Amino acid sequence: MAARDPVIVGIGLSDAPRAPHLDSAGHHVQAIQRALADAGLEKRAIDGYLCAGIASGALDAVSMAEYLGIDHRYIDGTMTGGSSFEFHVQHAAAAIRDGLCDTVLVSYGSDLLSRSGRTLGTGGFGGLGKVTGADLYAAPYGLPIVGAYALVAQRHMHEFGTTSEQLAAIAVGVREFASLNPNAMYRDPLTVANVLASRVIADPLHLLDCCVVSDGGGAFLMTTAERARDLRKPPVRVLGAAGAQTHWNISQMPDYTRSAGATCIPEAFARAGVGPRDVDTIQFYDSFTITVLVLLEDAGFCKKGEGGAFVEQGHLRRGGRLPLNTDGGGLSACHSGMRGLFLIAEAVR
């Protein structure tokens, strides 16, 4: 590695999935303290800070930097929903390579579950904020976020013959990993029949096709390969990162069966010098089972329309070729409004 190659050197998660003793800022602080201890760094070493928040009570980068007392040379509050923290890896890596900063902190915190029913707004992304933009033409007609993802599932089923059983198999596999995680919200064994027997939330998505609602936060630290030599844990290299966007509201999605991942994942592979065949585990956003299925295809692990059959073959389960979301994922372990940071933490583990 070159001296300024970006690496991840510490991760930390706050108490989850239920933490009524913490507010959103408290989740940030607890996760940051744990990430610093994991890396063997002091707060004064941080000169770059990134965060994003959309869930009720979540705080922006500028507010959190002030709250935490971080003396930064570089700050970034890029907000792309749950994927924000993957964009943050890309941006932090570039900032480190360019010498804009040396040690970057990325953090997130949300008391979404504990706050629920007291201060949640109406409408907006996930029903958590003011109704704006294209959502003005969907929210008044009763299209919540689960309904929007149901449109994706319906279209995939229509075009490719995907079945509810195949979607359910994703939830079953993720639950197998949740059973190993003492901090997962749900750990009891799950079957395809259990998923199909759970109530329909938005046809064809059942309750157990949907992510949990939890509290939780996380943090990770990035620095140079040279600096990492003196730290507590072996560094994890950032081989490649890329980002893309095709829409914000799913009602504006150009193609319901194709995500922006079809553009940025091949680009990330190319930058890293690897491909789908080199991957040993997948950490995908599993807001709903259909999210995973579309991403599997867009990433090139199988052809478009063949995701259902790929899942049925057991590749994503324990003992499979590509174990998925090995902490239990958003479907069983933790989803506090924006899950992208938890995926990074588990990948680093």
Side-chain angles (χ1 to χ4, degrees), residues 14-330:
S14 65
D15 293 345
R18 295 178 177 87
H21 55 291
L22 296 172
D23 62 7
S24 291
H27 280 283
H28 276 272
V29 169
Q30 190 178 68
I32 291 166
Q33 289 172 335
R34 291 171 177 175
L36 288 167
D38 188 49
L41 281 168
E42 299 290 335
K43 189 185 78 169
R44 62 176 178 270
I46 299 167
D47 61 353
Y49 180 63
L50 300 88
C51 88
I54 194 170
S56 179
L59 299 168
D60 61 271
V62 174
S63 298
M64 278 307 304
E66 178 183 75
Y67 182 85
L68 296 166
I70 294 174
D71 184 16
H72 55 75
R73 294 194 290 138
Y74 178 82
I75 190 166
D76 186 345
T78 296
M79 172 60 203
T80 59
S83 66
S84 298
F85 312 100
E86 282 65 37
F87 279 85
H88 291 174
V89 170
Q90 181 187 19
H91 298 176
I96 288 169
R97 286 194 189 97
D98 290 345
L100 302 180
C101 54
D102 295 318
T103 302
V104 177
L105 168 67
V106 182
S107 71
Y108 173 68
S110 171
D111 57 351
L112 179 62
L113 177 60
S114 295
R115 187 180 288 261
S116 180
R118 297 199 297 269
T119 59
L120 286 177
T122 58
F125 184 89
L128 300 177
K130 183 179 178 181
V131 178
T132 59
D135 210 27
L136 288 167
Y137 304 98
Y141 298 95
L143 184 67
I145 193 167
V146 62
Y149 278 87
L151 295 176
V152 177
Q154 287 279 17
R155 188 65 195 181
H156 206 281
M157 289 176 167
H158 172 74
E159 288 199 25
F160 307 116
T162 307
T163 67
S164 291
E165 287 81 2
Q166 290 169 337
L167 293 180
I170 295 171
V172 170
V174 171
R175 180 64 66 88
E176 289 177 342
F177 291 111
S179 70
L180 307 176
N181 178 2
N183 297 317
M185 178 170 275
Y186 298 116
R187 302 181 63 198
D188 293 338
L190 190 65
T191 66
V192 168
N194 294 149
V195 178
L196 299 184
S198 64
R199 70 180 187 272
V200 174
I201 303 300
D203 189 20
L205 298 179
H206 298 77
L207 175 65
L208 295 176
D209 285 300
C210 307
C211 64
V212 305
V213 176
S214 73
D215 299 327
F220 62 90
L221 291 150
M222 292 176 60
T223 189
T224 65
E226 182 178 36
R227 177 71 178 88
R229 296 190 188 110
D230 301 324
L231 299 183
R232 183 166 292 163
K233 296 287 182 69
V236 173
R237 296 179 63 191
V238 178
L239 296 180
Q245 187 218 352
T246 57
H247 61 282
W248 178 249
N249 296 278
I250 286 179
S251 64
Q252 307 304 301
M253 199 170 177
D255 179 347
Y256 280 147
T257 68
R258 186 179 189 272
S259 75
T263 299
C264 65
I265 297 175
E267 184 178 343
F269 276 143
R271 291 179 178 178
V274 301
R277 292 182 180 275
D278 300 303
V279 173
D280 299 312
T281 179
I282 302 172
Q283 308 299 329
F284 270 163
Y285 209 108
D286 58 341
S287 48
F288 302 92
T289 51
I290 187 60
T291 316
V292 172
L293 197 72
V294 171
L295 288 171
L296 276 172
E297 297 171 348
D298 290 345
F301 292 109
C302 55
K303 294 180 180 178
K304 181 57 68 178
E306 297 181 2
F310 186 86
V311 170
E312 274 187 322
Q313 292 165 10
H315 296 302
L316 309 183
R317 299 180 65 167
R318 288 185 65 192
R321 183 167 64 85
L322 291 165
L324 168 77
N325 294 358
T326 46
D327 66 338

